[in-house]
Amino acid sequence: MALWGGRFSQGPAQSVATLSRSVDFDWRLAQYDIRVNVAHVHGLAASGVISVADSEKIISALASLSSEIETGKFGFNDSDEDVHSAIERGLIEKLGALGGAFRAGRSRNDLVVTDFKLYLIDHIMEIAQTLTQLIDALNRVADEYKDALAPGFTHLQHAQPINFGHEIAKHSHAFLRDIDRIADWLKRNSFSPLGAGALAGSGLLPHPEKTAAELGFKGPLLNSIDAVSDRDFVAEALFIFSVIGIHLSRIGEEFTIWSTTEFGWAKLDDAFSTGSSIMPQKKNPDIAELARGKSGRLIGNLTGLLTVLKGLPFAYNRDLQEDKEPIFDSIETLQVILPAVIGMIETTSFDREKMARGAVAGHALATEIADYLARKGIPFSDAHEASGKCVRLADSLGVEVHELSDSQIASVHVDLMPDIRSLLSGEGATSSRTSISGTSSASIAAQVRALDEANRAALNAIKESRESFSRMMSI
C-alpha cells in the first residue's frame, strides 16, 4: 500500500518501485513498528487528535495484527513498499478508513528510526547475553588449565613460559570489554526519535516525552532534525560487532594453529570439526576458520555504512535506507557464529604434555637469568647483556639456555650462582609471576574468580534489562 501519491498523476515506474522496496528486509521491524504505533496512538488520543474510543479500536487491531504476524497469518505482499505500508494495509483491512488515522502526527522518518532503535536495543542485549555464555566457557577452560605449562608467544616466537589458562583468560577480558561497550551504547542511545515527524517535530503531538517513556526510553531526542538523520547509534553498534568479530577471529586463529599437526596442542571434538570430500584423514577446524573469516564481513558492514553516512546533508535522505541490512547481517552473523564458537571451546581438549615440552624451548628461560641478576642489584642493561651471552653460548653448543651447566653459566657472569637452577624451569619461571596480572597458577585462579564475578554481574544486568524491554513490548 502506498503511503503517498496525492500530488502525483501516476505511480512510480517499475524500476523505481523495485529500487525503493525495502519490505523484504525491513519486515524484521514489524513487531517493533506495531509497538511504536501503539505508543503513538496513545499520544494521539491524549492530545485529542483521535477519540479514546477510536484509539482503543486501533490498538486492539494492532494487537491482533501482532499475533497474526507472530503466527504467520499476516505478512507482507507484492504491493507493500516497506514494513510501514504493510502494517497500515493490515489495519485498513481490519478497520476500514479508521485504519489510516494512526498516521497523523508522525512520518516514516521518525517511525522507522524508532523501530530500528528498538530492534537494535533488543538484539544488542541478546548478543551481550550470549557473550556472557562465551566468557563462562572460556573461564572454565582457563581454570582447568591454570597449572598447564605452555610457551607464551610474541611475534609468533617463543617468548616466556606461561600457564595455558592465562592465555585462554585473556579472551574473557576482551569480551567483557565488548559487553561494557554494549552497556555504554545502551546508555547513550536510550533516547526516542518519535515525535520528530519528517524533520520539524509534530504539531499534533506536543509531548513526545510521554511516548518516549512508554517505549522505555529515558526521554526524547531534543533536536528533531538530528532525531531523523542521526545514525551514529547504528555505526557504533556495527563498530562493537566488528570488535567482537576481531576477538572471535583471534580465537579462530589460535585454535586453527593449535590443532595443526605441527603444534598438536588442541584436539577438536568431532561435532565441531569437518572432514574433506577427497582426503579421508582430514579433521578440519572449520568453526575456528569461519570465526576468523566472518570478522571480515562484520568489518565490511561497518565500513559500508560509514561510507553511506559520509557527507549526508540536512535532515533525512533516502540513503539512510541502507542502514538496516548491515545491522541485520551483522546480528544474524553473530547469532550463528557465537554458539558454534562456544561449543568448540567447551569441547576442545588440550595436550598438557605437548604444551609443557614447548614451554622452555627457544631459550624461553633467558629472561629468568636477567631477572636473577637484577635481583642481585646488577643494572638490568648489564643483566640483559649477560643473559644474551648465555643464549649465544647455548646456541654455539646446540643446547637450550637452561641446559647449560653451572660452570658454563658462571663463566658468563660472576654473579650467576648455582641457585639460579630453581628459576630455570617452566614451573620456576611461572611461579615467580605472582602479581595480580601474572601467569602463576595462583594468579590465574584469582583472575578467573574475578572474571566470573564480573561476568555474573554483567549477566544479571542484561537479564534485568531484557525483562524490562520484554514488558515494554507487550501491548
Side-chain angles (χ1 to χ4, degrees), residues 4-12:
W4 52 271
R7 65 94 67 210
F8 290 84
S9 60
Q10 63 181 24

Side-chain angles (χ1 to χ4, degrees), residues 85-348:
S85 59
I87 297 297
E88 184 162 335
R89 173 178 57 81
L91 273 187
I92 291 173
E93 288 173 359
K94 291 179 178 296
L95 299 174
L98 179 60
F102 76 143
R103 202 199 304 172
R106 65 151 173 78
S107 163
R108 282 188 296 182
N109 294 0
D110 63 339
L111 176 61
V112 69
V113 70
T114 309
D115 295 353
F116 194 27
K117 187 170 278 192
L118 289 178
Y119 169 91
L120 196 38
I121 289 170
D122 192 7
H123 286 79
I124 205 168
M125 289 192 295
E126 177 192 338
I127 296 297
Q129 186 163 340
T130 307
L131 287 178
T132 67
Q133 298 170 25
L134 175 56
I135 292 166
D136 185 65
L138 289 163
N139 289 353
R140 302 287 67 73
V141 177
D143 188 61
E144 181 180 353
Y145 292 94
K146 62 181 177 289
D147 58 352
L149 287 173
F153 294 89
T154 63
H155 307 279
L156 275 178
Q157 304 293 316
H158 283 221
Q160 291 177 268
I162 60 168
N163 279 309
F164 187 63
H166 201 49
E167 190 80 74
I168 294 295
K170 75 175 189 285
H171 294 298
S172 292
H173 291 281
F175 290 118
L176 275 172
R177 289 193 295 272
D178 293 329
I179 291 175
D180 283 345
R181 273 184 276 271
I182 290 172
D184 187 54
W185 183 96
L186 287 165
K187 290 176 186 176
R188 182 165 44 257
N189 293 298
S190 186
F191 293 90
S192 172
L194 194 64
L199 80 159
S202 172
L204 301 180
L205 286 171
H207 301 294
E209 60 273 16
K210 293 182 178 179
T211 54
E214 180 177 337
L215 293 171
F217 291 107
K218 294 177 182 177
L221 289 165
L222 299 182
N223 183 294
S224 59
I225 297 175
D226 178 58
V228 297
S229 61
D230 166 54
R231 293 300 185 275
D232 289 0
F233 72 95
V234 185
E236 286 183 28
L238 288 172
F239 171 75
I240 292 169
F241 298 152
S242 297
V243 175
I244 293 171
I246 289 169
H247 292 154
L248 290 170
S249 182
R250 291 189 70 192
I251 289 176
E253 175 75 356
E254 289 172 358
F255 272 68
T256 300
I257 291 172
W258 291 335
S259 64
T260 61
T261 301
E262 286 71 23
F263 263 73
W265 291 11
K267 183 179 180 182
L268 302 177
D269 190 85
D270 285 356
F272 292 90
S273 309
T274 64
S276 165
S277 62
I278 191 172
M279 296 170 285
Q281 83 283 6
K282 294 297 294 297
K283 187 175 183 181
N284 298 325
D286 280 22
I287 302 305
E289 291 172 348
L290 286 168
R292 188 176 60 190
K294 294 291 185 183
S295 64
R297 185 174 188 143
L298 296 168
I299 294 166
N301 286 337
L302 170 62
T303 304
L305 180 75
L306 291 175
T307 305
V308 169
L309 297 180
K310 184 191 71 64
L312 291 184
F314 307 126
Y316 182 84
N317 294 270
R318 192 62 182 272
D319 312 50
L320 293 176
Q321 182 170 301
E322 297 300 312
D323 63 351
K324 297 170 197 64
E325 288 179 284
I327 283 288
F328 296 152
D329 182 74
S330 290
I331 286 173
E332 288 161 16
T333 295
L334 288 172
Q335 286 173 330
V336 170
I337 200 67
L338 281 169
V341 171
I342 292 169
M344 178 186 72
I345 290 168
E346 289 176 333
T347 59
T348 297

